[in-house]
Amino acid sequence: MNSVRLERVGRLATAVTVLVAIAAALALVGVWASQAAQDDAQALLDGTIDDETFLERAAPYLLMTTVQGVITLATAVVTMIWMFRIAKNHRALHRGGTWGPGWAIGGWLLPPLLYVIPTLMLRELWKASDPDVPIGGNWRSGRTSPLIWSWFLLYSVGPIGVLVA
């Protein structure tokens, strides 16, 4: 019997979870820090502080946003690798769907469709990962977790709403 070699994905899933939690915490701190930086910027414009004082006060905010950007980029890269491996595993198990492993990367790089393809792919990966469906069974008719749609709303519709507001 020919054995199928599957890629491990558990550590990647843990890494994505930790990175998202760190990015979320930094985003919350960023809300507070941006208000302080905005107040300092207004003080600079009003002439109550000089350039050097402004830069000293704004440095923590700038450093934090840089770290947040690096964490967000790392999260995106690890997520792409994780989705790629899952899709590759599904192909090896004959559960390949509409979105092949290449879309795990390419879907994130299409700005007009940002988060639409990854959401559809995550939905399909979720269904194909159902351990209750036997080999050769109809995994496509399985249920999708509401977490996927919540993620889509938080990371695509939410920011668009904020931009519009």
Side-chain angles (χ1 to χ4, degrees):
M1 184 170 161
N2 194 3
S3 66
V4 176
R5 185 172 188 281
L6 300 176
E7 301 263 350
R8 294 187 177 271
V9 295
R11 288 188 179 138
L12 287 170
T14 301
V16 168
T17 303
V18 169
L19 288 169
V20 166
I22 292 170
L26 288 173
L28 291 175
V29 172
V31 170
W32 169 78
S34 68
Q35 184 61 43
Q38 189 176 23
D39 293 343
D40 290 335
Q42 187 61 49
L44 176 66
L45 291 173
D46 293 342
T48 57
I49 62 171
D50 62 0
D51 293 349
E52 189 174 319
T53 304
F54 172 73
L55 290 175
E56 287 174 6
R57 290 182 182 177
Y61 171 71
L62 296 173
L63 176 64
M64 190 210 48
T65 56
T66 301
V67 170
Q68 183 181 7
V70 170
I71 295 288
T72 301
L73 182 61
T75 304
V77 170
V78 174
T79 300
M80 288 179 202
I81 295 168
W82 176 64
M83 288 175 66
F84 180 87
R85 284 188 183 176
I86 293 172
K88 196 171 166 187
N89 286 348
H90 288 164
R91 285 257 167 106
L93 295 170
H94 304 289
R95 287 191 178 196
T98 306
W99 308 100
W103 282 107
I105 299 164
W108 292 93
L109 303 176
L110 298 172
L113 303 175
L114 192 59
Y115 298 129
V116 172
I117 291 174
T119 301
L120 294 174
M121 186 170 183
L122 280 171
R123 186 177 128 240
E124 190 171 80
L125 293 174
W126 185 282
K127 288 180 179 184
S129 296
D130 187 353
D132 294 333
V133 177
I135 294 175
N138 185 12
W139 58 267
R140 291 180 190 269
S141 63
R143 296 186 56 182
T144 303
S145 171
L147 289 174
I148 293 172
W149 297 112
S150 300
W151 174 82
F152 177 72
L153 292 173
L154 284 171
Y155 286 98
S156 62
V157 176
I160 290 170
V162 169
L163 285 174
V164 170

